[in-house]
Amino acid sequence: MRNERELDWVFLSPAAMLVPSERTGLYRTGQDHLLTDGQGDSRISLEDFAVAMLDEVETPKHHRQRFTVAY
């Protein structure tokens, strides 16, 4: 996909731990690497992962690239 020049694609990756929890609406984005917090944990709730996905659909910020989300 990285060599594709006509299609504007995006690939969203969750944190290492994708867990059911409450929606906070807060998350960080990163590029093609795993995001971790100060303790080395990588997690996001299913609810906030969905928010991040919809945010990208409604206001695209990533084009022809993979990005990841986590707390």
Side-chain angles (χ1 to χ4, degrees):
M1 293 294 292
R2 293 178 194 257
N3 294 327
E4 172 61 45
R5 295 295 172 224
E6 293 183 29
L7 180 64
D8 187 10
W9 60 271
V10 64
F11 189 89
L12 173 59
S13 297
M17 297 294 297
L18 185 60
V19 296
S21 186
E22 293 188 26
R23 176 183 169 193
T24 68
L26 304 172
Y27 57 86
R28 296 179 300 139
T29 61
Q31 296 299 314
D32 197 13
H33 60 278
L34 184 68
L35 289 177
T36 58
D37 63 16
Q39 290 76 39
D41 295 325
S42 176
R43 65 181 183 82
I44 193 164
S45 70
L46 293 167
E47 294 80 359
D48 284 329
F49 183 68
V51 168
M53 186 183 313
L54 291 174
D55 285 349
E56 182 65 25
V57 169
E58 292 174 351
T59 309
K61 295 179 181 170
H62 303 88
H63 303 277
R64 294 185 181 100
Q65 61 181 299
R66 173 183 175 246
F67 76 103
T68 188
V69 294
Y71 293 128

